[in-house]
Amino acid sequence: RHCRPTPPKHKARDDGDGPGKANPSTMTEACESAILTHLSSGEDVSIPDTLVWADESKLGHETVVGAIKSLLVDAYVAAEPLSYQFYDLKDEARGILENGSPEVAVLKVLIEAGEGGMSVGDLQGKVGKALCKIGMGNCMKNKWAKKDGGNLVAIKKLDEVTDETQASLKALSDAQGNPDALGNKVVNALKKRKLVTLVTKRSYKVTRGASYAPVRVKKASDLTKEMLDTGAWKTTPFKPYNFLALGENVGGGYLHPLLKVRAEFRKILMEMGFHEMPTDKWVESSFWNFDSLFQPQSHPARDAHDTFFIKEPASTLSVPEEYYERVKDMHEKGGSGSIGYRYDFKREEAMKNLLRTHTTAISSQMLYKLANQEGGFTPQRYFSIDRVFRNETMDATHLCEFHQVEGLVADYDLSLGDLIGTIETFFKKIGIEKLRFKPAFNPYTEPSMEIFGYHPDLKKWTEIGNSGMFRPEMLAPMGLPENVRVIAWGLSLERPTMIKYRIKNIRDLFGHKVEMARTRTAPICRFEEIE
C-alpha cells in the first residue's frame, strides 16, 4: 500500500471553448505534449506520481491519465500503476473537530442542570433529538452519566473526561487521513459511527517508453491516394493491422415483413403439392390479362381509370395466332354452351401493353402450355405470389400496387366441393379455421365465391379472398379436354401481413413511408396450423 498526503484540489482550466468548457481532444493533445516535454529533459527523468504532477502542471488528472494511455499504445511512455488509501472526514466529523463530540455536549448540559439532572425531553430540547440520541448513549456507555428516576444525572466533571472521538479525528486530520495514524480498533469505531470513509486514489509513475520521442507523430491508419501520388507513404508510419479485430455489423440483409409472410405462404403451398409459376413479367398484353380470361373488351376494368397502360411500347409483338383466333371466336360467337358476347373483337385492343392487373394473366399462359404440351394434358397444381398494379385511389387500405397470392388446380371432373376443401386446407395451415363462402360474380369464373374469415382481434367476419371455377369459355380455346375443370382462388399478401403484424395502415407496410427500423425489428413470421 502506497501512502502519502492528498494533493490540494484545483479547478480544470478553460481551454478556449467558452467559460467552463474544454475541448477533450485539444486537452489530451496538450497533456501528451506536456508529458513528452517533461521527459525530454533527460533519459532518467520521470514523473514519479501523475496525481502530484497534474496538480503542479494545473492539468486535470483524468485528462493526464487519458493522455498516458494514448501514449502507451505507441510505446512513447512506460507507466507503473500506483495507488494509496486515506480516510476522508465526513461533515459530521468536521463538526466534531470544531465543536467537540455529541457525548461531551450532552455532559456539559447535564452538569449545568445540577444534581437533579434533566429529563430526556428537556435534554432533547437543549441539544436536539439527533445529537441527544448519540450523545446520551455514549455518555451512558462511558459511565459519564446515569439514570436517576426519569432524569439523566452527570456523574463526571468536564476535567475528569477526555473527548477521545475529537482527539482521534484530530490525529487523523493532522496525518492527512493516513490509515496508520490510528489503531484498527479506533478506526473501526469511527467507521461504525460513519464519521470517516476510506478513499483509494490511483495514479501512475511515468518514464520513457521504447519508442519515446519528444514530439508524437500520429500513425496513419489508411493508405490514401494522396500518399501514393506524393510518395509520402514511404516515410509515413502506419498503425499495425489487427487481423483479430471484428468488422462493423452489416446493416442490411433484413427481410421485409411482406417477404417473411411470402416465404411462409410459399412453404405452405409447396407442402400442399403446388408448383410456383414464373411471374417475373410485370408488363403483359391485354390479350393474356383480359381476353384469354373471357373478359369482354368493353369491361370497365379495361378502362384507363382502372388499369395502367404502357405508353412505349404501346403494343405487344405477338401472341399465339391459332389460340388468338379461337379466343376471338369465343368472344364473338361463343361455344361450349355459351353464346359469347356478340361484339366485334378488336385486335388493336387485345395487343395493348399494360401493367398486369392480376397474376391470373400468368395462370392463363400456364394452362395454355399445359393443354398443348407434348404427351397431352396432365393434372397440375400451380401457385404464384407476386406484384400486380391497379389504378386505384390510395388510402389506408388501398395502394396502386400490391401483392397477389393465387392458387389453381387443373384436373379431371373437379367440383365446387374440391375448391372449398382446398381453400379450407390452405387457410387452416395459416391459422384461420372459421370460414364462410358467399356467392359472387367474376367474368372468368362460374360459380364464383367470396371468402370470409373470422378476425379474432376485430371480432367480426372480414373478406380475405376470392375464388371460383374457370369458365368453359376460357378453357375450351386453350385446347383442354372437355372434362378438365380448373379451380382457383386468390387473396392479397398485404391483408394477412397487416393482421399478423398488427399494422393498421397499409402505407406503413409498403411504400416510401415505411420505417426502416420496422423492417429490422419485425419478428419471424410463423403460422400455427390448426389440426
Side-chain angles (χ1 to χ4, degrees), residues 25-44:
S25 176
T26 304
M27 289 182 67
T28 301
E29 291 176 2
C31 281
E32 289 179 2
S33 178
I35 292 167
L36 295 176
T37 301
H38 180 86
L39 297 177
S40 67
S41 56
E43 292 185 5
D44 298 329

Side-chain angles (χ1 to χ4, degrees), residues 490-509:
L491 65 150
S492 75
L493 185 65
E494 282 77 3
R495 181 162 293 179
T497 303
M498 291 171 69
I499 294 172
K500 188 72 175 174
Y501 288 97
R502 304 295 192 267
I503 298 171
K504 294 182 179 180
N505 193 323
I506 194 170
R507 287 169 288 195
D508 293 332
L509 173 69

Side-chain angles (χ1 to χ4, degrees), residues 222-482:
D222 295 307
L223 182 65
T224 64
K225 179 180 180 297
E226 289 73 18
M227 291 179 184
L228 295 173
D229 291 342
T230 61
W233 63 272
K234 298 177 182 179
T235 56
T236 301
F238 288 91
K239 291 180 179 179
Y241 193 88
N242 183 3
F243 290 95
L244 301 178
L246 296 175
E248 290 187 7
N249 291 330
V250 178
Y254 299 97
L255 285 178
H256 189 278
L258 276 174
L259 294 181
K260 292 180 181 180
V261 176
R262 179 180 182 272
E264 191 71 7
F265 278 15
R266 287 183 75 249
K267 187 179 79 170
I268 289 170
L269 288 164
M270 287 179 177
E271 286 175 354
M272 293 174 65
F274 286 78
H275 300 279
E276 189 167 13
M277 294 185 284
T279 55
D280 52 349
K281 288 197 307 177
W282 289 359
V283 175
E284 285 289 354
S285 65
S286 293
F287 175 79
W288 287 113
N289 196 81
F290 295 123
D291 297 320
S292 66
L293 304 181
F294 195 59
Q295 191 162 329
Q297 293 185 337
S298 59
H299 195 279
R302 303 179 69 153
D303 191 82
H305 293 294
D306 295 295
T307 302
F308 291 109
F309 288 94
I310 304 299
K311 185 176 182 180
E312 183 65 34
S315 301
T316 190
L317 297 176
S318 65
V319 294
E321 285 300 325
E322 291 183 4
Y323 178 47
Y324 171 83
E325 292 297 330
R326 292 197 296 269
V327 170
K328 177 183 177 184
D329 287 344
M330 185 63 73
H331 278 251
E332 292 181 342
K333 303 173 184 177
S336 298
S338 170
I339 63 172
Y341 291 116
R342 297 188 176 186
Y343 69 95
D344 292 331
F345 189 87
K346 297 180 180 179
R347 185 180 184 87
E348 60 270 21
E349 186 69 27
M351 293 301 165
K352 287 181 179 180
N353 281 332
L354 50 80
L355 290 176
R356 66 184 180 207
T357 61
H358 46 202
T359 53
T360 316
I362 308 298
S363 301
S364 62
Q365 295 176 53
M366 295 300 294
L367 290 172
Y368 173 74
K369 290 179 181 178
L370 192 62
N372 295 277
Q373 65 183 354
E374 290 186 12
F377 169 80
T378 55
Q380 289 291 345
R381 298 183 179 197
Y382 290 125
F383 82 93
S384 64
I385 307 174
D386 211 335
R387 194 173 301 185
V388 296
F389 307 86
R390 294 180 188 175
N391 192 1
E392 294 189 2
T393 302
M394 292 188 291
D395 56 30
T397 57
H398 295 85
L399 291 175
C400 290
E401 53 182 308
F402 59 95
H403 295 77
Q404 182 178 351
V405 182
E406 181 172 347
L408 67 89
V409 180
D411 205 342
Y412 295 100
D413 301 319
L414 292 175
S415 67
L416 193 64
D418 295 308
L419 173 60
I420 293 173
T422 304
I423 292 171
E424 287 179 342
T425 301
F426 171 76
F427 280 102
K428 278 185 178 180
K429 286 183 176 291
I430 64 173
I432 300 175
E433 183 179 21
K434 296 181 179 180
L435 292 175
R436 286 179 179 174
F437 300 92
K438 176 185 175 182
F441 170 78
N442 289 317
Y444 46 89
T445 58
E446 180 62 37
S448 304
M449 300 183 299
E450 290 178 346
I451 308 167
F452 289 81
Y454 186 75
H455 196 306
D457 288 344
L458 300 177
K459 298 189 183 306
K460 68 176 184 179
W461 294 88
T462 180
E463 183 183 353
I464 55 176
N466 215 325
S467 64
M469 300 183 68
F470 284 147
R471 297 174 66 105
E473 296 97 323
M474 171 184 166
L475 302 180
M478 294 177 178
L480 290 167
E482 287 188 8

Side-chain angles (χ1 to χ4, degrees), residues 90-100 166:
K90 298 289 189 71
D91 291 340
E92 184 183 349
R94 299 186 189 280
I96 291 173
L97 270 179
E98 186 176 347
N99 304 313
Q166 186 185 45

